[in-house]
Amino acid sequence: MKERIDWTTFLVPYHQAVDELKVKLRGMRKQYEIEKQYSPIELVTGRVKPVASILSKAERKNIGLHEIKEKIQDIGGIRIVCQFVDDIYTIVDLLRARHDFEIIEEKDYLKEKKSSGYRSYHLIIRYPVATIHGEQFVAVEIQIRTLAMNFWAINEHSLNYKYSGEIPKDIQMRLKKAAEAAFQLDEEMAKIREEVQEAQWIFHKK
Ligand code: 0O2
């Protein structure tokens, strides 16, 4: 019998998880603001992977329909963007200290960047969703990166889409250079972090 998935039903807990996590993580930022403290979290976005992307990833990785829930761990996706590289590790510690989900995997693409030039910190969490049929656990990928890393990644992602994963060599070279420039920008900003933060604080108080 041919396998089938009712996608609307299948994706319900993922939508719920992403919505809840956005509220919770944006709440952390708000709390820093209320307590007049610097927030390591600049912005939080989230999305549920479109069905077409789930299916193409399953095909690319030779994953059967019945294995999708277990093996594709970024159907639910959260992105946390911060200003400085150190903020990434502060955020990881904040997430490790929480009790409302379990971290099941960590990938540090800062220590070891991908061959494309991609840098980010990834956490895969197991998140409990209360449904009308009882508690269901879904995997959600949390990507944590600086504004500079994010700028690079969204542009590279668009180019990958445009060229169906086969970015021409000359553009790949430019992307590598751009990744290096983003890295340098993060390094330079880290050196003047206190100055920048002080300036933002003065501006914020106005
Ligand atoms: P989308 O459209 O963002 O959902 P794989 O995807 O095969 O490399 P895996 O095991 O799924 O590996 O996990 P990994 O490496 O943590 O990558 C998952 C997600 O990280 C990707 O999802 C991207 O969002 C992001 N990512 C990883 N590598 C790169 C990269 O080189 N460039 C960019 N721009 N993003 C990357 P999807 O499913 O690829 O895409």
Side-chain angles (χ1 to χ4, degrees), residues 6 19 25 40 49 52 54 59 82 89 97 127 129 176 184:
D6 173 352
D19 287 347
L25 299 169
K49 211 177 186 65
I54 299 173
E59 201 179 310
C82 53
Y89 293 101
Y127 187 82
V129 178
K176 290 232 162 97
Q184 293 300 336

Side-chain angles (χ1 to χ4, degrees), residues 12-194:
V12 164
Y14 289 98
H15 282 287
Q16 182 78 23
V18 167
D19 287 347
E20 287 181 14
L21 284 161
K22 281 196 292 190
V23 169
K24 289 178 176 185
L25 299 169
R26 285 174 183 160
M28 286 168 98
R29 178 181 159 78
K30 187 85 201 151
Q31 220 178 313
Y32 280 108
E33 210 176 292
I34 289 165
E35 294 186 13
K36 299 199 181 341
Q37 283 186 52
Y38 169 77
S39 170
I41 299 173
E42 181 67 19
L43 62 101
V44 179
T45 60
R47 62 100 184 97
V48 173
K49 211 177 186 65
V51 173
S53 306
I54 299 173
L55 289 173
S56 70
K57 190 161 191 168
E59 201 179 310
R60 204 171 68 241
K61 298 193 154 202
N62 215 3
I63 293 169
L65 277 186
H66 63 286
E67 302 172 302
I68 284 178
K69 186 169 193 285
E70 178 205 339
K71 294 201 173 156
I72 300 191
Q73 295 185 310
D74 65 343
I75 294 175
I78 291 285
R79 188 168 294 156
I80 305 177
V81 182
C82 53
Q83 298 195 61
F84 302 99
V85 178
D86 282 354
D87 294 338
I88 295 177
Y89 293 101
T90 306
I91 295 166
V92 172
D93 286 340
L94 284 167
L95 298 181
R96 284 188 188 133
R98 292 187 71 114
H99 297 291
D100 50 346
F101 51 76
E102 186 194 347
I103 296 172
I104 51 176
E105 203 181 334
E106 299 194 23
K107 300 181 201 171
D108 188 344
Y109 296 129
L110 305 172
K111 293 217 165 77
E112 227 163 297
K113 66 170 188 224
K114 286 201 157 186
S115 58
S116 59
Y118 178 78
R119 290 186 305 134
S120 264
Y121 198 101
H122 290 189
L123 294 173
I124 308 290
I125 63 165
R126 187 170 175 264
Y127 187 82
V129 178
T131 76
I132 53 170
H133 306 294
E135 195 169 56
Q136 268 193 44
F137 289 89
V138 289
V140 175
E141 181 181 75
I142 303 181
Q143 302 179 342
I144 312 165
R145 45 169 91 142
T146 63
L147 287 157
M149 293 172 198
N150 194 44
F151 180 48
W152 182 90
I154 55 178
N155 285 321
E156 196 258 4
H157 192 271
S158 311
L159 287 167
N160 243 318
Y161 187 76
K162 177 177 172 187
Y163 292 107
S164 313
E166 305 282 333
I167 300 178
K169 281 271 169 300
D170 58 325
I171 300 180
Q172 271 183 38
M173 286 298 291
R174 286 198 189 279
L175 278 170
K176 290 232 162 97
K177 279 191 191 164
E180 185 51 36
F183 176 77
Q184 293 300 336
L185 178 61
D186 277 334
E187 294 265 285
E188 287 306 316
M189 284 300 180
K191 287 180 197 150
I192 52 166
R193 179 186 173 128
E194 277 173 27

